[in-house]
PDB file of all heavy atoms in Angstrom:
ATOM      1  N   ARG L 659      58.014 132.611 147.614  1.00 37.00           N
ATOM      2  CA  ARG L 659      59.188 132.949 148.370  1.00 37.00           C
ATOM      3  C   ARG L 659      60.387 132.160 147.935  1.00 37.00           C
ATOM      4  O   ARG L 659      61.527 132.584 148.067  1.00 37.00           O
ATOM      5  CB  ARG L 659      58.942 132.657 149.874  1.00 37.00           C
ATOM      6  CG  ARG L 659      58.004 133.673 150.478  1.00 37.00           C
ATOM      7  CD  ARG L 659      57.859 133.405 151.952  1.00 37.00           C
ATOM      8  NE  ARG L 659      56.481 133.714 152.394  1.00 37.00           N
ATOM      9  CZ  ARG L 659      55.646 132.817 152.883  1.00 37.00           C
ATOM     10  NH1 ARG L 659      56.028 131.576 153.037  1.00 37.00           N
ATOM     11  NH2 ARG L 659      54.454 133.200 153.220  1.00 37.00           N
ATOM     12  N   ASN L 660      60.099 130.996 147.390  1.00 38.00           N
ATOM     13  CA  ASN L 660      61.213 130.130 147.018  1.00 38.00           C
ATOM     14  C   ASN L 660      61.707 130.310 145.588  1.00 38.00           C
ATOM     15  O   ASN L 660      62.689 129.716 145.204  1.00 38.00           O
ATOM     16  CB  ASN L 660      60.787 128.638 147.163  1.00 38.00           C
ATOM     17  CG  ASN L 660      60.141 128.399 148.464  1.00 38.00           C
ATOM     18  OD1 ASN L 660      60.494 129.046 149.452  1.00 38.00           O
ATOM     19  ND2 ASN L 660      59.166 127.509 148.505  1.00 38.00           N
ATOM     20  N   THR L 661      61.065 131.162 144.854  1.00 36.00           N
ATOM     21  CA  THR L 661      61.460 131.146 143.424  1.00 36.00           C
ATOM     22  C   THR L 661      61.929 132.560 143.014  1.00 36.00           C
ATOM     23  O   THR L 661      61.727 133.525 143.734  1.00 36.00           O
ATOM     24  CB  THR L 661      60.261 130.784 142.559  1.00 36.00           C
ATOM     25  OG1 THR L 661      59.151 131.523 142.973  1.00 36.00           O
ATOM     26  CG2 THR L 661      59.973 129.284 142.697  1.00 36.00           C
ATOM     27  N   GLY L 662      62.505 132.576 141.860  1.00 35.00           N
ATOM     28  CA  GLY L 662      63.012 133.823 141.340  1.00 35.00           C
ATOM     29  C   GLY L 662      61.942 134.738 140.840  1.00 35.00           C
ATOM     30  O   GLY L 662      60.760 134.313 140.805  1.00 35.00           O
ATOM     31  N   PRO L 663      62.256 135.899 140.451  1.00 36.00           N
ATOM     32  CA  PRO L 663      61.240 136.899 140.041  1.00 36.00           C
ATOM     33  C   PRO L 663      60.381 136.520 138.866  1.00 36.00           C
ATOM     34  O   PRO L 663      59.210 136.701 138.906  1.00 36.00           O
ATOM     35  CB  PRO L 663      62.077 138.164 139.723  1.00 36.00           C
ATOM     36  CG  PRO L 663      63.510 137.708 139.586  1.00 36.00           C
ATOM     37  CD  PRO L 663      63.595 136.422 140.386  1.00 36.00           C
ATOM     38  N   LEU L 664      61.032 135.894 137.931  1.00 35.00           N
ATOM     39  CA  LEU L 664      60.251 135.511 136.730  1.00 35.00           C
ATOM     40  C   LEU L 664      59.217 134.473 137.109  1.00 35.00           C
ATOM     41  O   LEU L 664      58.086 134.575 136.714  1.00 35.00           O
ATOM     42  CB  LEU L 664      61.215 135.002 135.644  1.00 35.00           C
ATOM     43  CG  LEU L 664      60.517 134.702 134.338  1.00 35.00           C
ATOM     44  CD1 LEU L 664      60.185 135.959 133.607  1.00 35.00           C
ATOM     45  CD2 LEU L 664      61.369 133.806 133.462  1.00 35.00           C
ATOM     46  N   GLU L 665      59.673 133.495 137.831  1.00 36.00           N
ATOM     47  CA  GLU L 665      58.767 132.435 138.235  1.00 36.00           C
ATOM     48  C   GLU L 665      57.655 132.974 139.134  1.00 36.00           C
ATOM     49  O   GLU L 665      56.555 132.498 139.087  1.00 36.00           O
ATOM     50  CB  GLU L 665      59.552 131.360 138.964  1.00 36.00           C
ATOM     51  CG  GLU L 665      60.111 130.296 138.029  1.00 36.00           C
ATOM     52  CD  GLU L 665      61.251 130.896 137.154  1.00 36.00           C
ATOM     53  OE1 GLU L 665      62.019 131.735 137.631  1.00 36.00           O
ATOM     54  OE2 GLU L 665      61.312 130.507 135.994  1.00 36.00           O
ATOM     55  N   ASN L 666      57.991 133.948 139.987  1.00 34.00           N
ATOM     56  CA  ASN L 666      57.030 134.590 140.804  1.00 34.00           C
ATOM     57  C   ASN L 666      55.861 135.103 139.976  1.00 34.00           C
ATOM     58  O   ASN L 666      54.683 134.811 140.234  1.00 34.00           O
ATOM     59  CB  ASN L 666      57.615 135.815 141.495  1.00 34.00           C
ATOM     60  CG  ASN L 666      58.055 135.475 142.865  1.00 34.00           C
ATOM     61  OD1 ASN L 666      57.560 134.502 143.409  1.00 34.00           O
ATOM     62  ND2 ASN L 666      58.922 136.245 143.447  1.00 34.00           N
ATOM     63  N   ALA L 667      56.265 135.839 138.959  1.00 34.00           N
ATOM     64  CA  ALA L 667      55.267 136.453 138.081  1.00 34.00           C
ATOM     65  C   ALA L 667      54.439 135.316 137.426  1.00 34.00           C
ATOM     66  O   ALA L 667      53.231 135.415 137.367  1.00 34.00           O
ATOM     67  CB  ALA L 667      55.926 137.282 137.045  1.00 34.00           C
ATOM     68  N   THR L 668      55.120 134.303 137.057  1.00 33.00           N
ATOM     69  CA  THR L 668      54.428 133.181 136.406  1.00 33.00           C
ATOM     70  C   THR L 668      53.390 132.630 137.322  1.00 33.00           C
ATOM     71  O   THR L 668      52.236 132.415 136.929  1.00 33.00           O
ATOM     72  CB  THR L 668      55.456 132.078 136.075  1.00 33.00           C
ATOM     73  OG1 THR L 668      56.587 132.713 135.539  1.00 33.00           O
ATOM     74  CG2 THR L 668      54.876 131.077 135.169  1.00 33.00           C
ATOM     75  N   ALA L 669      53.812 132.401 138.559  1.00 33.00           N
ATOM     76  CA  ALA L 669      52.906 131.822 139.507  1.00 33.00           C
ATOM     77  C   ALA L 669      51.670 132.681 139.716  1.00 33.00           C
ATOM     78  O   ALA L 669      50.566 132.211 139.666  1.00 33.00           O
ATOM     79  CB  ALA L 669      53.652 131.601 140.804  1.00 33.00           C
ATOM     80  N   LEU L 670      51.887 133.942 139.921  1.00 32.00           N
ATOM     81  CA  LEU L 670      50.807 134.848 140.158  1.00 32.00           C
ATOM     82  C   LEU L 670      49.844 134.902 138.967  1.00 32.00           C
ATOM     83  O   LEU L 670      48.632 134.774 139.113  1.00 32.00           O
ATOM     84  CB  LEU L 670      51.311 136.242 140.407  1.00 32.00           C
ATOM     85  CG  LEU L 670      51.750 136.579 141.820  1.00 32.00           C
ATOM     86  CD1 LEU L 670      52.419 137.946 141.867  1.00 32.00           C
ATOM     87  CD2 LEU L 670      50.518 136.445 142.729  1.00 32.00           C
ATOM     88  N   ARG L 671      50.416 134.992 137.812  1.00 35.00           N
ATOM     89  CA  ARG L 671      49.641 135.136 136.626  1.00 35.00           C
ATOM     90  C   ARG L 671      48.766 133.874 136.416  1.00 35.00           C
ATOM     91  O   ARG L 671      47.624 133.958 136.051  1.00 35.00           O
ATOM     92  CB  ARG L 671      50.533 135.366 135.415  1.00 35.00           C
ATOM     93  CG  ARG L 671      50.866 136.815 135.160  1.00 35.00           C
ATOM     94  CD  ARG L 671      49.680 137.590 134.652  1.00 35.00           C
ATOM     95  NE  ARG L 671      49.130 136.951 133.462  1.00 35.00           N
ATOM     96  CZ  ARG L 671      47.898 136.387 133.427  1.00 35.00           C
ATOM     97  NH1 ARG L 671      47.150 136.426 134.495  1.00 35.00           N
ATOM     98  NH2 ARG L 671      47.490 135.841 132.320  1.00 35.00           N
ATOM     99  N   SER L 672      49.415 132.814 136.587  1.00 35.00           N
ATOM    100  CA  SER L 672      48.723 131.542 136.312  1.00 35.00           C
ATOM    101  C   SER L 672      47.498 131.406 137.219  1.00 35.00           C
ATOM    102  O   SER L 672      46.461 130.979 136.800  1.00 35.00           O
ATOM    103  CB  SER L 672      49.642 130.399 136.575  1.00 35.00           C
ATOM    104  OG  SER L 672      49.881 130.246 137.942  1.00 35.00           O
ATOM    105  N   PHE L 673      47.710 131.905 138.406  1.00 33.00           N
ATOM    106  CA  PHE L 673      46.563 131.832 139.328  1.00 33.00           C
ATOM    107  C   PHE L 673      45.464 132.741 138.855  1.00 33.00           C
ATOM    108  O   PHE L 673      44.265 132.397 138.902  1.00 33.00           O
ATOM    109  CB  PHE L 673      47.006 132.201 140.745  1.00 33.00           C
ATOM    110  CG  PHE L 673      45.994 131.911 141.732  1.00 33.00           C
ATOM    111  CD1 PHE L 673      45.672 130.565 142.047  1.00 33.00           C
ATOM    112  CD2 PHE L 673      45.284 132.909 142.348  1.00 33.00           C
ATOM    113  CE1 PHE L 673      44.747 130.336 142.971  1.00 33.00           C
ATOM    114  CE2 PHE L 673      44.322 132.652 143.261  1.00 33.00           C
ATOM    115  CZ  PHE L 673      44.000 131.314 143.588  1.00 33.00           C
ATOM    116  N   ALA L 674      45.833 133.917 138.511  1.00 34.00           N
ATOM    117  CA  ALA L 674      44.851 134.901 138.050  1.00 34.00           C
ATOM    118  C   ALA L 674      44.042 134.388 136.906  1.00 34.00           C
ATOM    119  O   ALA L 674      42.817 134.637 136.779  1.00 34.00           O
ATOM    120  CB  ALA L 674      45.517 136.196 137.751  1.00 34.00           C
ATOM    121  N   SER L 675      44.712 133.683 135.973  1.00 36.00           N
ATOM    122  CA  SER L 675      44.031 133.309 134.748  1.00 36.00           C
ATOM    123  C   SER L 675      43.300 131.975 134.886  1.00 36.00           C
ATOM    124  O   SER L 675      42.887 131.370 133.889  1.00 36.00           O
ATOM    125  CB  SER L 675      45.044 133.239 133.619  1.00 36.00           C
ATOM    126  OG  SER L 675      45.823 132.098 133.823  1.00 36.00           O
ATOM    127  N   ASP L 676      43.201 131.528 136.094  1.00 36.00           N
ATOM    128  CA  ASP L 676      42.762 130.142 136.285  1.00 36.00           C
ATOM    129  C   ASP L 676      41.304 129.911 135.886  1.00 36.00           C
ATOM    130  O   ASP L 676      40.891 128.842 135.650  1.00 36.00           O
ATOM    131  CB  ASP L 676      42.941 129.772 137.762  1.00 36.00           C
ATOM    132  CG  ASP L 676      43.177 128.282 137.926  1.00 36.00           C
ATOM    133  OD1 ASP L 676      43.378 127.634 136.943  1.00 36.00           O
ATOM    134  OD2 ASP L 676      43.128 127.831 139.062  1.00 36.00           O
ATOM    135  N   ASP L 677      40.557 130.955 135.869  1.00 37.00           N
ATOM    136  CA  ASP L 677      39.132 130.770 135.599  1.00 37.00           C
ATOM    137  C   ASP L 677      38.822 130.643 134.130  1.00 37.00           C
ATOM    138  O   ASP L 677      39.280 131.398 133.310  1.00 37.00           O
ATOM    139  CB  ASP L 677      38.302 131.990 136.165  1.00 37.00           C
ATOM    140  CG  ASP L 677      38.973 133.254 135.690  1.00 37.00           C
ATOM    141  OD1 ASP L 677      40.172 133.245 135.355  1.00 37.00           O
ATOM    142  OD2 ASP L 677      38.289 134.285 135.709  1.00 37.00           O
ATOM    143  N   GLY L 678      38.061 129.625 133.822  1.00 36.00           N
ATOM    144  CA  GLY L 678      37.493 129.646 132.478  1.00 36.00           C
ATOM    145  C   GLY L 678      38.155 128.692 131.384  1.00 36.00           C
ATOM    146  O   GLY L 678      37.479 128.016 130.657  1.00 36.00           O
ATOM    147  N   ASP L 679      39.457 128.768 131.319  1.00 38.00           N
ATOM    148  CA  ASP L 679      40.103 128.219 130.126  1.00 38.00           C
ATOM    149  C   ASP L 679      40.507 126.737 130.241  1.00 38.00           C
ATOM    150  O   ASP L 679      41.326 126.310 129.415  1.00 38.00           O
ATOM    151  CB  ASP L 679      41.334 129.068 129.812  1.00 38.00           C
ATOM    152  CG  ASP L 679      40.983 130.172 128.841  1.00 38.00           C
ATOM    153  OD1 ASP L 679      39.860 130.069 128.306  1.00 38.00           O
ATOM    154  OD2 ASP L 679      41.775 131.060 128.671  1.00 38.00           O
TER     155      ASP L 679
END
Side-chain angles (χ1 to χ4, degrees):
Chain L
R659 288 184 215 118
N660 310 327
T661 49
L664 185 75
E665 273 67 36
N666 263 339
T668 315
L670 276 175
R671 273 289 304 115
S672 71
F673 190 70
S675 72
D676 209 11
D677 48 340
D679 269 347

